[in-house]
Structures are given as structure tokens and as C-alpha cells.
Amino acid sequence: MKKLFVLFAAALLVAASPLQAQTKAELSSIRKEAKKTSKTLTRDGFRMLEAGQLDDRMADYLIKVHGGCTQLVGTAEGCMSINLAKVTALNNAANEYATLCGGLVKGRLTTSVNNLSDLQTDDLVGAYERLVYKKIQGEIISPIILVRKTKSGYDVRAYCLVDYNASLIAQKSAFQKAIEESGLAQEYGSQLSDWIDEGFEKMYGRD
């Protein structure tokens, strides 16, 4: 189980990293990318729900993405109201994030851990994804919400971010709870809590 958790911790470190400063050249490239993206979205009929210029808002968003935040784009199509489309898009972003985390963890488990059965792995990953989805919803930031009216209703694109530290905390909590729900905590006894603490101490660089 200690090996299992250390591999999980390594997966998180690959998935996210703290914000890094960008050079002037990188910032210039990001702003060009933002302008191009904004032009395409406007041509496709999207408009911001918030006040401000899409170019500027997209540039700020992409700077955070290139700096280390996790990028999520939730979408919804053909909804009867803007509010319903917005809620659906944000829920889809959280689901996308949970699926991404679950896939990464499952890949590590199936390739590096041989003391778990396929059923144990599937149960653990399934519980983990469900719990990440629940926990990360309160941590997702949506600085850009775009909407367009179509013949079938309203389409929304929610450009979202997940902070590095918030991501680690949510995933740690979800993984610990998933281990308990899947029955692995009972099997490995009181040592599990110590192993979990040790794994995340290393993740935060406190060893």
C-alpha cells in the first residue's frame, strides 16, 4: 500500500506544478494566442457574460494556464436557458477533471502495482473519480463564461482553472476517502494513515 500511495503522489506531481513566471517573449506569445482565440470565438457567435474585453480576459486566463494551473473547458449545448447551460458546462468541467485524475491514477496503478486485483483497482479509481468530482467543484474558478444563442437553445463554454494547491488538497482527501470506501483501509489497518501522511509530506517537499 505504501508503494501504491507513493505512485499516486508522483502522478499528482506530474499532473500539476506551481505557477512559474513567464518571460516577456512568452507573455507576448500568450497575448497573440489570446487574441487569435478570442477572434475565432467571436466569429463563432460567442459573447462573454461578464463585462470587459474578451482579448484581455483570455490573455489573463492563458497566462495562468501556461503558468501551471490546470485548464478545463466545460461545454453545454442546446439548453433552454443561459443559467442551465452555465451550470451544465461547469458540471461537465468538474467531470472532465475527475476523469482526467482517475485516468492518470489508474494508469499508474495498472502499470506499476501488481498487488491489487483488477476489481480492486476499478473500485478504487471509480470511488476516487466520484469523490474528486464532488470535492473539486468548490475549487474550480471560471473567469470566462461564453454564451451564444442557437436555433436549439443556448450554448455555453466555461473556461475554468484549478489552483495547484487546491488541486493537491482535493485529490489527497478524495484518494484517502476512496481507499476507505473500497475496503483497502480495513485490509491494511492503522498503518494506512501514516503512509498517507508520509506520501503527501514528500509531495509538499517537507521530508
Side-chain angles (χ1 to χ4, degrees):
M1 178 56 65
K2 184 175 182 179
K3 179 181 179 183
L4 163 64
F5 195 82
V6 169
L7 287 166
F8 171 73
L12 290 180
L13 290 174
V14 171
S17 58
L19 292 176
Q20 302 293 326
Q22 287 105 10
T23 66
K24 289 184 178 180
E26 289 171 336
L27 290 174
S28 177
S29 176
I30 289 171
R31 291 192 175 96
K32 289 180 180 179
E33 179 185 353
K35 186 174 182 179
K36 181 179 180 181
T37 300
S38 300
K39 184 177 180 180
T40 299
L41 289 167
T42 301
R43 186 180 65 236
D44 290 343
F46 284 99
R47 62 177 177 83
M48 280 202 308
L49 287 181
E50 306 85 358
Q53 296 295 319
L54 181 55
D55 285 8
D56 295 336
R57 192 68 65 84
M58 185 62 71
D60 290 341
Y61 174 80
L62 291 177
I63 286 171
K64 291 181 175 67
V65 171
H66 285 270
C69 284
T70 299
Q71 176 186 23
L72 301 170
V73 181
T75 61
E77 297 181 351
C79 295
M80 296 301 294
S81 69
I82 294 177
N83 187 60
L84 176 60
K86 178 180 176 180
V87 170
T88 302
L90 291 173
N91 285 339
N92 287 341
N95 185 65
E96 175 188 340
Y97 180 80
T99 302
L100 174 67
C101 292
L104 181 61
V105 169
K106 185 172 184 177
R108 294 277 179 166
L109 293 177
T110 55
T111 58
S112 305
V113 179
N114 53 21
N115 61 333
L116 291 178
S117 68
D118 291 343
L119 180 59
Q120 284 177 315
T121 299
D122 289 343
D123 286 347
L124 178 58
V125 173
Y128 171 68
E129 288 185 4
R130 174 175 52 78
L131 291 163
V132 167
Y133 171 81
K134 181 179 179 181
K135 292 177 180 296
I136 207 63
Q137 284 183 312
E139 305 296 342
I140 289 178
I141 302 169
S142 52
I144 304 175
I145 303 291
L146 302 178
V147 63
R148 70 178 174 187
K149 182 71 171 67
T150 68
K151 292 181 179 180
S152 58
Y154 292 96
D155 297 346
V156 161
R157 288 189 187 179
Y159 285 79
C160 305
L161 298 168
V162 180
D163 176 74
Y164 169 72
N165 288 327
S167 169
L168 292 184
I169 292 170
Q171 290 181 68
K172 171 187 175 180
S173 177
F175 192 69
Q176 182 174 6
K177 184 66 175 177
I179 291 174
E180 295 171 359
E181 289 190 2
S182 62
L184 295 177
Q186 295 177 357
E187 181 177 354
Y188 288 94
S190 61
Q191 298 180 51
L192 182 59
S193 295
D194 294 337
W195 291 337
I196 288 176
D197 291 340
E198 179 184 347
F200 276 90
E201 286 293 324
K202 291 181 179 179
M203 286 177 60
Y204 284 103
R206 298 173 183 169
D207 53 336

